[in-house]
Amino acid sequence: MVKVAYINVRLLDPATKLDAVGALLTEGEEIADFGPNLFKASAGWRVPSGIQVVDGKGACLSPGLVDMRVQLREPGEEHKETLKSAAEAAVAGGITSMVCLPNTDPIIDDVASVEFVARRARKVGLVKVYPYAAATKGLAGKELAELGLLAQAGALAFTDGVHALSDARVMRRVLSYASTFDLLIVQHPEEPALALGGAMNSGEMATRLGVPSIPKEAEVIMLERDLRLVAATGARYHAAHVSTAESIEAVRRAKARGVRVTCDTAPPYFALNELEVNGWRTFAKLSPPLRDESDRQAVVEGLKDGAIDAIASDHAPQDQDSKRLPFAQAAFGGVGLETLLAVSLDLYHNKAMSLLDVLANLTHKPAAIMGLKAGRLEKGLPADLMLFDPNRPWKVVADNFRSKSKNSPFDGRPVQGRVLKTIIDGRPVFSLEADT
């Protein structure tokens, strides 16, 4: 069994607050040992013979990122993204596990579709891919999918993807059924009637540009309704990509009451605001839309105080034909796998959060929500790791992405934080040195 020693690294484990210079040993697919004193000698490092040595040269070694919201586009829209191109982008971004939405063609609402994702992921052999399954058949919001069978087949949780479960009666049935088996329901909280026809956040900017808008109330109305149903049913509920101050406050209050709710956000909602839309820039057309500055600051506060539990890439690849349209007609979405770490580290560089707290939202916290044995340094766990330099500057150039689609709202942005190596099950799957 191959043994590899990563020496002279800054060990970071947000789950245990470990932050120390040391070494880590992988044996086969698992973490065998780690710590400040491992292989430490009076003068440097002493690694027994027969063990491969990787000198980290002072770089940070942490658990790989766990991305809980990715749109794969395969099967059905391979011209936008394939599982292979998404996997290559993910490992370049330090992501070792990702959970994909069911809005493919065919939709992931039966056992065969769940098994297809698993087979394709094994064939690609890079990032670990787990599927959500549809909460309702065909994502139509009417008839419940076979949640129990789909969970047995490997679906981690259930969602109608980019569509809200808008029918309150159906949502109550979904939550009641899910609570029986302690399954997780994930919601895109947006009242569809209020959002219908809208393309950006409602406000002065939308008025000035003459763009039809979506009121921020569309998010909190749906969320408040769901939270009442969750409290009534005792189900586990997760709100995806929250983006407004009122929504975050609603989650904060619900948690204080003991409601089983978690939520995530995505880098655009703490790093950008609606001013990015100026000039009808369709790469900044996202769902939910970019909000105003007060909401952006509320998202940062929500991450700081724990009201928001995780950061996801919200990766939504779109091809040029979908984005090179008048703003109102352009598709929603932005790619995010390769910028997830670097943009999130803005929170560390601007001193809003510590490095460990930023990483916590990208590793063990999303892993815990999804029930994955990942996102932490622990003996016996899979050696899913990321070696990175949090201070290394680079400029986002979307044309250089491994993703097939290049629709990044961060294109041209200077960032700090670069992934140097990604290791999955003890096996190196990305090296910046080899890539450049």
Side-chain angles (χ1 to χ4, degrees):
M1 192 172 289
V2 177
K3 295 182 179 180
V4 182
Y6 295 86
I7 63 169
N8 193 22
V9 294
R10 180 181 172 188
L11 295 166
L12 295 172
D13 182 25
T16 58
K17 302 295 184 186
L18 172 65
D19 183 350
V21 174
L24 182 143
L25 175 67
T26 66
E27 186 170 345
E29 298 181 355
E30 297 181 349
I31 298 171
D33 202 357
F34 62 94
N37 299 317
L38 184 66
F39 304 133
K40 198 69 183 287
S42 56
W45 305 87
R46 181 177 297 164
V47 180
S49 61
I51 298 177
Q52 296 179 22
V53 177
V54 177
D55 187 345
K57 300 177 181 176
C60 297
L61 185 67
S62 77
L65 307 186
V66 178
D67 188 354
M68 60 185 298
R69 190 172 179 86
V70 176
Q71 296 185 55
L72 281 183
R73 305 300 188 211
E74 181 183 353
E77 293 184 294
E78 286 85 350
H79 60 291
K80 294 181 178 179
E81 193 78 287
T82 63
L83 205 151
K84 184 173 186 295
S85 63
E88 290 172 347
V91 296
I95 296 164
T96 52
S97 298
M98 63 182 187
V99 192
C100 60
L101 293 184
N103 58 334
T104 49
D105 184 13
I107 290 164
I108 304 175
D109 65 354
D110 57 29
V111 170
S113 299
V114 172
E115 292 174 346
F116 169 81
V117 173
R119 282 198 306 274
R120 285 286 295 133
R122 281 197 300 271
K123 189 173 181 181
V124 171
L126 289 173
V127 67
K128 294 177 178 175
V129 181
Y130 304 92
Y132 289 103
T136 65
K137 290 183 179 178
L139 305 178
K142 295 178 180 177
E143 187 179 355
L144 269 63
E146 297 284 357
L147 306 190
L149 286 175
L150 290 164
Q152 288 178 13
L156 288 191
F158 299 87
T159 177
D160 273 3
V162 299
H163 302 293
L165 267 162
S166 59
D167 187 309
R169 185 179 178 186
V170 173
M171 183 52 140
R172 195 180 195 287
R173 290 181 61 204
V174 167
L175 291 169
S176 296
Y177 188 84
S179 68
T180 305
F181 301 99
D182 201 31
L183 304 176
L184 177 67
I185 301 301
V186 178
Q187 171 76 303
H188 167 68
E190 185 175 73
E191 167 52 53
L194 283 174
L196 184 65
M200 68 172 291
N201 188 48
S202 181
E204 183 181 337
M205 177 63 75
T207 302
R208 188 155 61 84
L209 295 177
V211 171
S213 60
I214 302 170
K216 61 177 69 177
E217 289 78 11
E219 184 172 293
V220 72
I221 284 173
M222 181 63 74
L223 191 54
E224 292 275 22
R225 182 209 73 174
D226 285 353
L227 291 172
R228 286 177 178 269
L229 295 174
V230 173
T233 58
R236 286 199 297 139
Y237 173 91
H238 180 87
H241 47 212
V242 294
S243 64
T244 73
E246 287 186 303
S247 298
I248 297 161
E249 184 56 30
V251 171
R252 197 178 276 123
R253 290 196 304 267
K255 286 183 173 181
R257 297 195 303 271
V259 177
R260 301 177 75 192
V261 57
T262 52
C263 67
D264 69 75
T265 192
Y269 305 109
F270 57 77
L272 304 174
N273 62 30
E274 62 182 355
L275 297 179
E276 294 294 321
V277 177
N278 198 18
W280 299 276
R281 188 166 174 255
T282 59
F283 279 13
K285 183 178 178 181
L286 307 174
S287 176
L290 294 172
R291 306 295 185 180
D292 61 32
E293 178 60 15
S294 65
D295 288 313
R296 188 196 69 80
Q297 292 180 14
V299 172
V300 174
E301 288 303 312
L303 287 165
K304 288 168 65 176
D305 69 15
I308 299 173
D309 302 90
I311 299 172
S313 72
D314 217 5
H315 182 72
Q318 301 288 1
D319 61 358
Q320 292 191 11
D321 289 345
S322 302
K323 281 294 192 181
R324 285 187 178 173
L325 293 169
F327 194 89
Q329 283 83 50
F332 288 98
V335 295
L337 295 172
E338 290 170 77
T339 53
L340 176 60
L341 176 69
V343 178
S344 297
L345 287 177
D346 276 1
L347 296 164
Y348 161 64
H349 293 299
N350 64 25
K351 303 187 187 310
M353 298 173 71
S354 72
L355 181 55
L356 282 177
D357 286 343
V358 173
L359 289 174
N361 287 288
L362 295 160
T363 55
H364 77 96
K365 292 175 74 174
I369 293 168
M370 303 310 302
L372 293 173
K373 290 183 177 179
R376 57 175 62 216
L377 301 183
E378 186 176 312
K379 294 179 185 178
L381 280 189
D384 297 344
L385 306 165
M386 171 181 67
L387 189 70
F388 72 102
D389 179 349
N391 299 313
R392 184 162 174 169
W394 58 289
K395 183 179 178 180
V396 177
V397 179
D399 284 343
N400 295 338
F401 284 166
R402 284 105 181 137
S403 289
K404 274 195 170 183
S405 297
K406 314 297 181 186
N407 53 305
S408 169
F410 299 109
D411 190 20
R413 182 187 178 99
V415 292
Q416 276 182 278
R418 199 74 195 246
V419 176
L420 306 176
K421 291 183 186 297
T422 304
I423 299 105
I424 296 180
D425 287 335
R427 181 172 55 96
V429 292
F430 171 78
S431 169
L432 181 64
E433 194 174 81
D435 195 62
T436 53

